[in-house]
Amino acid sequence: MTESPGAREAGVRRNREALLAAAAAVFVEQGVQAPIRDIAGRAGVGLGTVYRHFPNRAELVIAVYRHQIEECVALASALQRESIAPGEALTRWIGAFVEFLVTKHGLGVALQSEDPSLITLHALMLEKLVPACASLIAAGVSAGEIDPSVTAYTLMRAVGNLCILGPGYERAHAQDMVARLLVGCRSAR
Amino acid sequence: MTESPGAREAGVRRNREALLAAAAAVFVEQGVQAPIRDIAGRAGVGLGTVYRHFPNRAELVIAVYRHQIEECVALASALQRESIAPGEALTRWIGAFVEFLVTKHGLGVALQSEDPSLITLHALMLEKLVPACASLIAAGVSAGEIDPSVTAYTLMRAVGNLCILGPGYERAHAQDMVARLLVGCRSAR
Amino acid sequence: MTESPGAREAGVRRNREALLAAAAAVFVEQGVQAPIRDIAGRAGVGLGTVYRHFPNRAELVIAVYRHQIEECVALASALQRESIAPGEALTRWIGAFVEFLVTKHGLGVALQSEDPSLITLHALMLEKLVPACASLIAAGVSAGEIDPSVTAYTLMRAVGNLCILGPGYERAHAQDMVARLLVGCRSAR
Amino acid sequence: MTESPGAREAGVRRNREALLAAAAAVFVEQGVQAPIRDIAGRAGVGLGTVYRHFPNRAELVIAVYRHQIEECVALASALQRESIAPGEALTRWIGAFVEFLVTKHGLGVALQSEDPSLITLHALMLEKLVPACASLIAAGVSAGEIDPSVTAYTLMRAVGNLCILGPGYERAHAQDMVARLLVGCRSAR
DNA sequence: AATGAATGAGGATTCATTCAT
DNA sequence: GATGAATGAATCCTCATTCAT
């Protein structure tokens, strides 16, 4: 009778989070096209529950990644407010982006997919991430540290691609390759 | 009824080649996961004929790309025999590899796929391409032009990834990014 | 906490009526097979509440239409008590029935559906409406105005069918067709 | 070796016809929305075979009914060429249409369905049947036998509706009701 | 009583693969 | 050898219905 009032809501939130965690894990293992049923199974819920929380695959994919995308955006602002060299700011930011991508592998593929169910994710990157990156690049260009012909979208795509991992090409390799790519983006002077 | 004995074999070979051409084209348009039926249709043969020639998708994928992989290998030898700077040789060879990859888009993805049906393709890369690349790198390192910490497999994977194209990230962008990556692979000194 | 004892019951009745109104509206828009959830949403109540009040779809359908069916029955008695020609009484009564059917489109289909979830509605028609109609017909036959071979059930079914509307076949068309059907039911004399 | 050349084609055609027969039967029992699997089962073939022959439900529905629709159209021409009274021609033609409809019950519903998968069937009726009927009506109007305010589309819809059968409302009842409707369509004079 | 989250059966559709001709 | 018809597993998604709170 005297029930904690939010017991239900708590359960719902727990389910939602179990789903997000399960989805993230399954995406890592099978990619973002994994069967919805697998995600339901991993989360320990019924198939319908997935659809209740996320009416289609795209919603789920976005929910899985939106938070981290927004953290990346916030980091870009923070770095620009610090008193560090713009080139260094870009390097650190890309480092964080890489960290994000290699943690959720599968996202590298998803971010650049032409799959109609994932356009929204792609759009999210375009809207949020690309401007953040562009602003860091602009600062670096002004400081004479970054080659002015580097564009944010291309760089993000390239970094995204470099973060598609596989056996024998792990996180550290991706980090190394991205670092070298950034060397190649420095101002030719 | 009374056919010249070689007529049959000629027809078989012609079919095989039509299939390889069709598969290459379809892979470019739809990726290596395209429905087998589409390939049969494009080649103007029956579905069963595809399976007769290539018992599974991997065989077909490999057959499609083996020739070009071998050309790449041959090019590496040729470049080493020429009297050009080893760094330049590596650059040219990677350029040719990029050319190969962006022409067959879909292959970038395939090359690093963990998909069981494509492991053989991956193995082929390991066996043939990696040694060729390693030898060019070794020469560059000896000449003090290439950073000794660069490994062939990682570089090939990275280049392969950078060649996964999409709308807004086309051939020229990939070429640019690969060039910058190579800048970052030069000897630090 | 301390509610007046009847407050609860009043709320229950209000819910029940909101549901009937919502169901009627949704049946018009989507037919009697509309998702129960849509009805709950339209009524502004939870899904469970629908099931509490109406354990299955048939109960709900019947509840929605029973009142109007009974009005039709009452009208038949009233018309017979008036001093008008029996044929005219039948015509007017069928007119009212048509009005009922076309206002609730979806009912036309429901009335004659073999769908097990709707048999009860069909039974209701049989029990109530058919006798009412039969009595009007009998009077018309006695007066020599109606063809004695016309049976109530068949006529009701026919009228019900004629009232299944659709684009290009609207209320006025149904009324016209029903009128012509009644012309064909007049005594051949 | 010496196979009858058309053995395969014959089997295919037999399958196709088995499917049409099965579909017709299942449509009668369950309506045109019956599960495709039921049709496959009734025809004794796999599910995929249905889709091979008829890529979607609409194709199947149309295939089932097209032939008879065209026969109806042909009959209209034939009747007009005969030297019978136009009103009689219309009556006979409608009689044939009724015969068609009651034989395939389920079609009555389908013909006037707003279901997007059945628009083509509806379109077929509009294109073929309505003009045929209109021409018979026009002749009847010219001869002073048919009420000029009767339109072909409305009449066809009405007849279609009257042919939606059910328990207690069988073929003979539909025929009777249609006959009475036609009486009501005669010239008022 | 009311709620709405969870469940899972049901039905459509696609496509790899087999095999009789 | 070639063909393509047939098959059915796999997957998506919807919705009726139950039940804990």
Side-chain angles (χ1 to χ4, degrees), chain C:
Chain C
M1 295 290 160
T2 320
E3 294 160 3
S4 79
R8 177 85 57 99
E9 284 145 35
V12 172
R13 193 165 322 117
R14 216 174 312 121
N15 260 350
R16 190 188 156 83
E17 265 144 39
L19 274 170
L20 288 173
V26 170
F27 289 167
V28 167
E29 286 164 15
Q30 310 192 33
V32 284
Q33 301 300 345
I36 298 287
R37 186 178 297 274
D38 287 9
I39 295 166
R42 170 82 75 123
V45 304
L47 233 188
T49 305
V50 184
Y51 280 95
R52 163 167 297 274
H53 284 279
F54 309 99
N56 53 55
R57 183 185 300 278
E59 296 286 341
L60 179 53
V61 173
I62 290 171
V64 165
Y65 296 121
R66 166 169 291 141
H67 180 60
Q68 272 135 318
I69 287 180
E70 277 161 7
E71 265 189 10
C72 277
V73 174
L75 179 63
S77 310
L79 283 170
Q80 282 192 298
R81 267 180 267 105
E82 286 185 37
S83 57
I84 51 179
E88 174 64 11
L90 179 62
T91 301
R92 285 209 213 158
W93 187 75
I94 293 281
F97 183 50
V98 167
E99 206 56 32
F100 166 45
L101 290 169
V102 298
T103 308
K104 317 277 173 193
H105 51 270
L107 184 61
V109 183
L111 263 188
Q112 48 84 27
S113 169
E114 308 175 44
D115 186 314
S117 78
L118 297 175
I119 4 169
T120 330
L121 183 60
H122 191 257
L124 196 62
M125 179 178 86
L126 238 66
E127 272 176 49
K128 305 278 189 173
L129 242 29
V130 167
C133 181
S135 137
L136 286 164
I137 289 176
V141 169
S142 299
E145 291 175 7
I146 299 294
D147 183 335
S149 65
V150 173
T151 67
Y153 181 72
T154 302
L155 180 58
M156 310 254 10
R157 283 291 292 254
V159 172
N161 281 358
L162 287 176
C163 289
I164 300 174
L165 305 185
Y169 181 78
E170 317 281 354
R171 166 197 292 248
H173 301 109
Q175 287 170 327
D176 180 39
M177 290 294 108
V178 169
R180 292 180 192 275
L181 175 63
L182 283 178
V183 168
C185 291
R186 286 200 198 126
S187 182
R189 190 229 354 220

Side-chain angles (χ1 to χ4, degrees), chain A residues 76 90 93-94 128-138 152-153 155-156:
Chain A
L90 180 62
W93 187 74
I94 293 282
K128 303 278 190 176
L129 244 29
V130 168
C133 181
S135 136
L136 287 164
I137 289 175
Y153 182 72
L155 180 59
M156 309 251 15

Side-chain angles (χ1 to χ4, degrees), chain A residues 27-176:
Chain A
F27 289 168
V28 166
E29 286 164 17
Q30 311 192 32
V32 284
Q33 301 300 346
I36 298 287
R37 187 181 297 275
D38 288 8
I39 295 167
R42 169 84 73 120
V45 304
L47 190 47
T49 304
V50 184
Y51 282 99
R52 154 173 294 273
H53 285 280
F54 310 99
N56 52 54
R57 180 188 301 279
E59 297 283 342
L60 178 54
V61 173
I62 289 173
V64 166
Y65 296 121
R66 166 169 290 142
H67 181 60
Q68 274 132 321
I69 287 181
E70 276 161 9
E71 266 188 9
C72 278
V73 173
L75 178 63
S77 309
L79 284 170
Q80 282 192 298
R81 269 182 263 103
E82 286 186 34
S83 56
I84 52 177
E88 174 63 13
L90 180 62
T91 301
R92 284 207 213 158
W93 187 74
I94 293 282
F97 183 50
V98 168
E99 208 54 33
F100 165 43
L101 290 169
V102 298
T103 308
K104 316 278 176 190
H105 49 272
L107 183 61
V109 182
L111 264 188
Q112 47 86 25
S113 168
E114 307 174 42
D115 186 311
S117 80
L118 297 176
I119 1 169
T120 328
L121 184 61
H122 192 258
L124 198 61
M125 178 179 87
L126 240 65
E127 271 176 50
K128 303 278 190 176
L129 244 29
V130 168
C133 181
S135 136
L136 287 164
I137 289 175
V141 168
S142 298
E145 292 174 7
I146 299 294
D147 182 336
S149 65
V150 173
T151 66
Y153 182 72
T154 301
L155 180 59
M156 309 251 15
R157 285 289 292 254
V159 171
N161 281 358
L162 287 176
C163 290
I164 301 173
L165 305 183
Y169 181 80
E170 316 282 354
R171 166 198 292 247
H173 301 108
Q175 287 170 327
D176 180 39

Side-chain angles (χ1 to χ4, degrees), chain C residues 112 157-158 161-162, chain D residues 94-109 111 156-166 169-171 173-175 177-178:
Chain C
Q112 48 84 27
R157 283 291 292 254
N161 281 358
L162 287 176
Chain D
I94 293 282
F97 183 50
V98 168
E99 207 55 34
F100 165 45
L101 289 169
V102 299
T103 307
K104 316 276 174 190
H105 51 273
L107 184 60
V109 182
L111 263 189
M156 309 251 17
R157 284 289 290 254
V159 172
N161 282 356
L162 287 175
C163 289
I164 301 173
L165 305 185
Y169 182 79
E170 317 280 356
R171 166 197 293 249
H173 302 108
Q175 287 170 328
M177 290 293 110
V178 169

